[in-house]
Amino acid sequence: MLKVYLTRGNQGQGVWLDLPTSPAEMGEAYAVLDGIDSENLNTRISATISSVSNLKRYIHEDDSLEQLDTLATVINKMSDRDAAIFSAALDLESVNGIKDLIRITYNLQNYKFFPDVTTPRELGIYLVESGDMDIHKSAWPYLDYEKVAAVYESNHGGAYTLFGYVVKNDSSPTQTISEEEQIGRGTFKEKDYRVYPSVGIIDSEVWRAVTARLRAPFSNKETAELRDFANGQNADSRSEGVGQRPIKTQDDETSVSFWNSDKYVLKSEQELKPDITPDPGSNAQVPLGPADDKEYIFKLNVYPSYDPDVRDKGFTLKLPMSTQELGLTLKEHGITDFNDCDVENCECHIERLSNTLNLEGDIYGLNRLATQIKHMLDNKEPIAKFLAALEERPRELSVAIDIMDNLDHYELLPPNVKTPADYASYVLFDSGRYEIDDEVRNFLDLDKYGKYKMEEDSVRQSVFGMLRRIDEPSQEPEQGFTQQMGGM
């Protein structure tokens, strides 16, 4: 359907004409116009109504009614699908007049139509489920479909309509998917590298980061060559394209450009952060007691019984000690069993354990725990792992003993693994558990997958970092993350 409002003069009065029209209807319309202004015969198209919603933007006041009549004849024969394709094509093509509009109507076969795809998320789902992207079904729940759509759109163009998404069939992508986020790759002495743009936060300032994924460590010379490569990429037109692409940050999206900046500098992370200190949540931060007093792990104030009359007979018990020494201590103080004693204070060389454990009268159990801890004092990592595992039930001595006896069933993850998204990256790209192409990361919802994987792997957050309980053998790689993408 196509209707035009024809006017004459400056009064705004006119007549609506339905197209396509007949000579008789055209004569009636012009008779009305002659009644409005018979001297000024300059007829203009002042308004347009069409079943193709955006067509009115491409029709001008001096367009030919004869050509519009031809266009209306074609539009009236269109199905809803063809009308949607035509509407999208108008926005995809360069339209410079009615001839271009008519030309497009006769070339709708040059466009691909994705029915019922009206949003980027729906486009991403369509591309995956239709097989245009070859990703195994087990990975689908963890894809960020809007990212899938964004890459497809950047390579192919396309437009959304009320009935679906339209893209040109003959549109050849100028970049592969991997190139969309990857600004360089190559080898130095058979050492593969890939370079990606990202965003870094340093001292509350946003920096454009160039992140290199290396298959093997680089020498100083190789690092210098890689730095020269990054400088070259930032200086040419490639950097302009990078600046035009938004980058997701924790709170929003941002774009950073290297173009024509008098403040441009390229430094390594070590050069920008020369005074990096250990992360306060890392497993290196284990607060111990006085450095000059390592003769004990636990120091207890013990009374022979709960009787107030024997409070003057209290003594200090420092653990660990041998079983023979414990026996001599009982004999020296006239005690039959430590279970009869009242322990008023329990200091620990590890501050977090001072006066927290419910001893339950088990001095021998506490002594065994002290012996195990003492053997770890020169290695803070297992102590941090022990304390992290103990966080859920920090007051139970029996739990502490069980954790210590099974400490190899726990894994304290690297200190840079702090969020579900970090854990997803660690599992997929750093742990060696999966065979997965780096580019797949661009299409995964890492936060969603990380939350799922943390629950599946019994991972929880502690003040010492992420802790994983290892009760089962390492899982085999999931099929969904061993597939390579294709078809884009």
Side-chain angles (χ1 to χ4, degrees):
M1 181 267 290
L2 178 60
K3 296 174 65 173
V4 292
Y5 188 66
L6 304 178
T7 62
R8 281 183 184 173
N10 299 320
Q11 311 248 338
Q13 295 178 317
V15 62
W16 282 103
L17 179 64
D18 290 331
L19 299 176
T21 189
S22 66
E25 291 169 333
M26 181 73 76
E28 291 176 5
Y30 272 89
V32 173
L33 292 171
D34 288 342
I36 295 172
D37 191 338
S38 59
E39 295 182 0
N40 182 3
L41 301 182
N42 182 26
T43 302
R44 300 187 307 276
I45 299 172
S46 299
T48 303
I49 298 176
S50 174
S51 55
V52 179
S53 60
N54 60 335
L55 178 60
K56 60 185 178 183
R57 299 202 301 264
Y58 301 95
I59 294 179
H60 308 288
E61 63 177 17
D62 56 351
D63 281 341
S64 164
L65 287 177
E66 182 180 355
Q67 290 178 324
L68 284 176
D69 198 70
T70 301
L71 177 63
T73 300
V74 178
I75 290 176
N76 280 358
K77 295 178 181 179
M78 287 183 180
S79 63
D80 289 343
R81 176 183 180 277
D82 286 346
I85 294 175
F86 178 54
S87 176
L90 295 180
D91 293 335
L92 294 174
E93 302 289 354
S94 175
V95 177
N96 296 308
I98 298 180
K99 289 185 179 180
D100 284 338
L101 297 177
I102 296 173
R103 174 183 55 79
I104 292 172
T105 64
Y106 288 109
N107 290 280
L108 298 184
Q109 73 278 3
N110 291 337
Y111 302 88
K112 185 176 181 181
F113 181 67
F114 300 164
D116 301 320
V117 175
T118 59
T119 67
R121 175 173 172 78
E122 290 173 351
L123 175 60
I125 293 173
Y126 181 93
L127 292 170
V128 172
E129 294 186 353
S130 66
D132 282 351
M133 282 190 65
D134 185 17
I135 299 180
H136 194 272
K137 285 186 177 181
S138 61
W140 291 2
Y142 313 109
L143 293 176
D144 186 329
Y145 289 104
E146 292 185 354
K147 289 183 179 179
V148 174
V151 171
Y152 185 86
E153 290 177 47
S154 67
N155 290 331
H156 295 78
Y160 295 95
T161 74
L162 294 176
F163 298 97
Y165 181 77
V166 179
V167 65
K168 290 185 68 174
N169 278 332
D170 60 351
S171 171
S172 300
T174 57
Q175 296 175 314
T176 64
I177 288 178
S178 61
E179 290 172 334
E180 173 63 25
E181 286 299 332
Q182 177 181 306
I183 64 173
R185 66 181 298 171
T187 57
F188 287 140
K189 299 179 181 179
E190 300 182 351
K191 295 179 182 179
D192 292 336
Y193 71 90
R194 297 179 182 181
V195 183
Y196 300 83
S198 59
V199 163
I201 307 295
I202 302 175
D203 294 333
S204 301
E205 293 183 342
V206 178
W207 288 68
R208 183 81 189 196
V210 180
T211 303
R213 292 187 178 277
L214 311 180
R215 301 298 186 186
F218 273 20
S219 67
N220 291 338
K221 180 180 179 182
E222 291 166 340
T223 300
E225 292 180 36
L226 184 59
R227 185 194 297 265
D228 290 342
F229 166 78
N231 273 321
Q233 291 292 310
N234 293 342
D236 67 13
S237 59
R238 179 69 178 184
S239 125
E240 182 178 355
V242 168
Q244 293 171 352
R245 291 202 299 270
I247 304 169
K248 286 190 175 181
T249 64
Q250 181 176 355
D251 302 316
D252 203 348
E253 288 188 345
T254 187
S255 295
V256 181
S257 175
F258 302 121
W259 177 252
N260 199 27
S261 172
D262 58 358
K263 296 182 179 180
Y264 173 80
V265 64
L266 180 67
K267 293 184 177 182
S268 67
E269 185 175 24
Q270 289 76 14
E271 290 171 327
L272 287 170
K273 302 178 182 178
D275 301 319
I276 295 178
T277 57
D279 191 293
S282 74
N283 52 27
Q285 305 297 310
V286 183
L288 301 178
D292 58 349
D293 190 357
K294 291 188 179 181
E295 63 176 295
Y296 73 90
I297 299 300
F298 293 102
K299 183 168 68 174
L300 289 66
N301 293 338
V302 182
Y303 298 94
S305 73
Y306 290 90
D307 187 345
D309 295 335
V310 299
R311 305 308 280 183
D312 59 339
K313 297 182 179 180
F315 61 93
T316 297
L317 183 64
K318 294 183 178 182
L319 302 177
M321 59 174 57
S322 66
T323 304
Q324 292 79 5
E325 288 174 318
L326 284 175
L328 291 174
T329 300
L330 287 173
K331 185 175 181 180
E332 177 183 350
H333 295 281
I335 303 170
T336 304
D337 193 332
F338 278 119
N339 287 331
D340 298 330
C341 296
D342 177 18
V343 178
E344 187 175 80
N345 189 49
C346 178
E347 294 182 11
C348 183
H349 189 70
I350 300 173
E351 293 178 5
R352 287 183 177 272
L353 294 181
S354 289
N355 296 307
T356 60
L357 293 173
N358 179 9
L359 302 183
E360 303 166 338
D362 189 3
I363 300 298
Y364 289 99
L366 185 65
N367 186 57
R368 184 157 65 90
L369 180 64
T371 301
Q372 292 171 305
I373 292 175
K374 187 172 184 178
H375 292 157
M376 298 177 179
L377 285 184
D378 294 330
N379 187 352
K380 293 180 180 180
E381 182 175 351
I383 295 179
K385 183 164 63 171
F386 168 68
L387 295 176
L390 189 61
E391 276 188 5
E392 286 188 320
R393 296 172 63 187
R395 301 191 63 83
E396 303 298 326
L397 174 61
S398 57
V399 172
I401 292 173
D402 180 70
I403 290 173
M404 184 61 77
D405 288 342
N406 297 279
L407 200 56
D408 57 346
H409 286 191
Y410 296 89
E411 177 187 7
L412 197 59
L413 300 177
N416 62 320
V417 180
K418 300 177 181 179
T419 67
D422 292 338
Y423 184 65
S425 296
Y426 171 76
V427 168
L428 294 175
F429 304 108
D430 301 330
S431 68
R433 294 165 62 184
Y434 300 91
E435 297 177 8
I436 181 169
D437 196 301
D438 284 345
E439 282 74 33
V440 174
R441 176 173 183 161
N442 295 329
F443 304 105
L444 287 175
D445 185 333
L446 293 178
D447 183 69
K448 184 177 181 180
Y449 179 70
K451 289 176 180 176
Y452 156 75
K453 204 63 183 169
M454 285 177 65
E455 182 175 353
E456 182 183 68
D457 292 351
S458 298
V459 175
R460 63 175 178 81
Q461 182 64 268
S462 77
V463 298
F464 297 93
M466 292 278 194
L467 183 76
R468 181 167 61 156
R469 177 73 189 243
I470 310 173
D471 287 329
E472 301 294 337
S474 298
Q475 300 176 0
E476 293 296 321
E478 293 180 12
Q479 187 178 7
F481 295 108
T482 61
Q483 306 298 314
Q484 299 250 343
M485 295 186 303
M488 294 285 282

